[in-house]
Amino acid sequence: MSTATRDTTCLHLEPREVFAPDAPHQLWRVASGALRIDSAPPDEANRFVRLALPGDVIGVEQWAGTNDHLSLRALIDASLTPVEASGPQMMQVLMETVVVAHQRCREVVTLRSGPVAQRIKALLLMFAQGRRAGSGLVADCPVPYLADLSDIVDAAPETVSRVLASMREHDFLQDRKPQKARFSSQALKGLEMVAGMSAVRPARKLRAVPA
């Protein structure tokens, strides 16, 4: 799908839509949603690098003139706003971006190592940030398609499906659809690992809090 702006300041992307800015050196801030950033060298398969979440600034690599070949694609509905800064403001933006990029790269370690259930738990909690599900209430939270979920946590789709089914069985997830999960982050944080990557169990019996 082609990108389309609904107003003069915000760019909206649908799930799996590739972010291709018209201006090569324009910086953008993620206002809502999430994007995946892949390393995409010519003639090579794309490899997941990190996520871009609300508040993150993207496009610094192109602005700085690096040789990085990156591909950016929306995981869920996303909105971006242009970053207009110069002089000291631009320096502040760049410093902020370096700090956030370091944090996102550290998060990748959590998303791609350890039991699969733990990785999925970490990813769901990241998507819940800033939403009602992140406040402890049971609420709907947009999530990527299964193929993207499994790719991000570096696990087979069948394994991810088993983990999600187990989470539902133990009431960590109230519901899951292709692009939506209903849960409370407070309940999800109570998830503990047991033997087997795709098994979960409750730390204690939890009661869902009404939305």
Side-chain angles (χ1 to χ4, degrees), residues 10-203:
C10 195
L11 181 67
H12 297 270
L13 301 174
E14 296 182 2
R16 293 186 169 175
E17 188 170 358
V18 174
F19 172 61
D22 294 332
H25 302 305
Q26 174 68 60
L27 300 181
W28 294 84
R29 188 180 297 275
V30 181
S32 63
L35 290 81
R36 62 175 288 169
I37 301 176
D38 290 342
S39 174
D43 303 322
E44 293 185 22
N46 287 11
R47 296 187 300 273
F48 174 69
V49 174
R50 62 183 177 87
L51 298 177
L53 300 176
D56 294 6
V57 173
I58 58 178
V60 171
E61 296 83 5
Q62 291 189 5
W63 183 88
T66 68
N67 293 323
D68 291 345
H69 297 278
L70 300 178
S71 172
L72 288 80
R73 178 164 58 85
L75 289 169
I76 57 178
D77 287 325
S79 295
L80 311 175
T81 56
V83 175
E84 302 294 345
S86 60
Q89 289 179 315
M90 178 58 76
M91 182 59 65
Q92 181 62 38
V93 169
L94 295 178
M95 292 176 63
E96 168 194 334
T97 302
V98 169
V99 173
V100 172
H102 177 67
Q103 175 186 341
R104 296 286 175 248
C105 289
R106 291 185 63 183
E107 290 168 347
V108 170
V109 177
T110 302
L111 296 177
R112 298 177 75 85
S113 62
V116 176
Q118 188 68 36
R119 303 180 216 172
I120 295 173
K121 168 186 173 180
L123 185 59
L124 291 177
L125 291 176
M126 290 175 67
F127 277 94
Q129 293 177 16
R131 298 182 178 274
R132 294 186 70 202
S135 66
L137 297 174
V138 174
D140 291 333
C141 181
V143 295
Y145 287 105
L146 178 61
D148 281 313
L149 280 174
S150 60
D151 193 31
I152 291 171
V153 300
D154 193 25
E158 296 79 9
T159 302
V160 174
S161 291
R162 287 198 300 271
V163 170
L164 294 173
S166 186
M167 286 180 173
R168 286 195 63 183
E169 179 183 352
H170 292 98
D171 295 328
F172 293 111
L173 291 183
Q174 302 303 310
D175 189 23
R176 186 187 77 85
K177 295 180 179 179
Q179 288 185 272
K180 182 176 67 176
R182 184 171 179 80
F183 64 94
S184 159
S185 62
Q186 180 180 355
L188 191 59
K189 288 175 182 177
L191 180 151
E192 290 182 352
M193 302 303 108
V194 296
M197 290 194 304
S198 60
V200 301
R201 70 177 180 184

